[in-house]
Amino acid sequence: MITLYGIGPGFGLPEISPYVTKTEVQLKMAGLKYVKQQVMPDTSPKGQLPYIADGDERVADSTFIRQHLERKHGLDLDAALDERQRAEAWAIERMIENHFTWAVTYTRWMMPENFAKGPAHFFDGAPESIRDALREDVRGRVAENMRIAGLARHTPEEITELGARSLSALSMLLGWKPYLMGDRPCGTDAMAFSSLAGLMAPFFDSPLRQHALEFSNLVAYVDRMMARYYPEHQWQRPAVAA
Ligand SMILES: N[C@@H](CCC(=O)N[C@@H](CS)C(=O)NCC(=O)O)C(=O)O
């Protein structure tokens, strides 16, 4: 049995972490049985979530987890794609993970009102004397990671502008197909869904979220993916912007 280590549900989502959600959806796409366990990122071999235990093997990082699952269990989540489509799917996934998801992270961690109602509560169980210091420490580390990645060097308006360009690209790439690459979901749909759902969930508002809601095909796509992979989750469908 595979164990998926993640953060757990919250913020109106079945799983708080977009990367854990990606892996969870890919496990569901593959039809593999798994159990889920909530842990802190520092328990992971790479210091980040997700990681999995599959028999004696522990594998960290969503991309390497997918590679492991496909190799070990004889799967291909992109089976319906030709070579060019596979290349496009990879390029789209890189845009989402290495660019767009940072802009989404910004809305949760760097907008003070969103940090206060969301990530700040990760530390509610810590002793009161160190709680605020812990909050600031983790927020500082996320800010530093964002700076190294490049995004946090920009103004809030510029970050929104860059995120909105990726939203526009995703909307154009999806068009009115049910899934990114056609009639059937592929591996990259897991990441596109997780990142877009994380942004659209009504729990946090932001200028970038308001841009996202202007793309009715992306809103419908998140609904479709949520219904397919998390039918038990009470998804609060966001209203499409007028
Ligand atoms: N490249 C990694 C990214 C994973 C990631 O950023 N995970 C976040 C949770 S959403 C994390 O564990 N952050 C803790 C940290 O970076 O210290 C993957 O694809 O798995």
Side-chain angles (χ1 to χ4, degrees):
M1 175 68 85
I2 296 166
T3 303
L4 168 63
Y5 296 91
I7 297 179
F11 307 160
L13 297 162
E15 162 61 51
I16 284 175
S17 158
Y19 294 96
V20 176
T21 308
K22 169 189 167 186
T23 294
E24 184 161 44
V25 170
Q26 290 179 345
L27 282 163
K28 290 169 186 266
M29 285 175 171
L32 293 170
K33 285 205 165 59
Y34 67 96
V35 290
K36 203 165 165 194
Q37 212 164 303
Q38 294 184 14
V39 290
M40 296 296 284
D42 57 11
T43 62
S44 162
K46 290 188 179 170
Q48 290 189 320
L49 298 174
Y51 71 100
I52 61 159
D54 187 2
D56 293 340
E57 292 172 277
R58 290 204 314 160
V59 187
D61 187 281
S62 63
T63 299
F64 285 108
I65 294 172
R66 172 178 170 184
Q67 189 181 77
H68 162 88
L69 295 174
E70 291 186 322
R71 284 184 183 159
K72 178 163 179 178
H73 300 276
L75 306 158
D76 179 0
L77 297 181
D78 290 350
L81 307 189
D82 64 24
E83 290 307 313
R84 187 189 167 85
Q85 288 172 318
R86 284 172 192 264
E88 286 169 2
W90 172 255
I92 294 169
E93 188 170 292
R94 289 307 97 213
M95 175 185 78
I96 298 169
E97 292 190 19
N98 299 87
H99 174 78
F100 179 66
T101 302
W102 282 116
V104 179
T105 302
Y106 178 90
T107 67
R108 281 189 193 180
W109 285 82
M110 298 301 138
M111 292 178 62
E113 65 278 23
N114 286 344
F115 179 75
K117 71 190 291 210
H121 289 290
F122 293 156
F123 308 95
D124 287 353
E128 201 177 341
S129 55
I130 58 164
R131 203 178 294 153
D132 283 343
L134 280 177
R135 285 180 177 139
E136 276 320 299
D137 178 55
V138 175
R139 190 163 127 99
R141 277 192 282 134
V142 173
E144 181 58 7
N145 287 342
M146 290 185 68
R147 206 184 66 82
I148 292 167
L151 198 80
R153 292 164 200 269
H154 306 306
T155 65
E157 293 74 22
E158 287 170 335
I159 292 171
T160 302
E161 186 185 325
L162 291 173
R165 283 188 72 170
S166 293
L167 282 168
S168 175
L170 279 172
S171 172
M172 195 56 76
L173 288 162
L174 175 65
W176 288 103
K177 301 187 297 300
Y179 302 104
L180 273 177
M181 305 306 295
D183 290 338
R184 289 171 53 185
C186 71
T188 296
D189 283 294
M191 190 64 211
F193 159 70
S194 71
S195 206
L196 288 169
L199 176 63
M200 287 180 191
F203 189 84
F204 300 116
D205 202 7
S206 63
L208 187 59
R209 176 172 182 269
Q210 291 305 316
H211 278 290
L213 301 184
E214 289 167 11
F215 296 101
S216 57
N217 65 338
L218 295 181
V219 174
Y221 171 74
V222 169
D223 282 354
R224 189 176 308 122
M225 289 286 291
M226 192 67 84
R228 180 166 183 151
Y229 293 107
Y230 293 99
E232 71 291 352
H233 181 70
Q234 302 284 311
W235 172 239
Q236 242 186 296
R237 185 188 202 278
V240 177

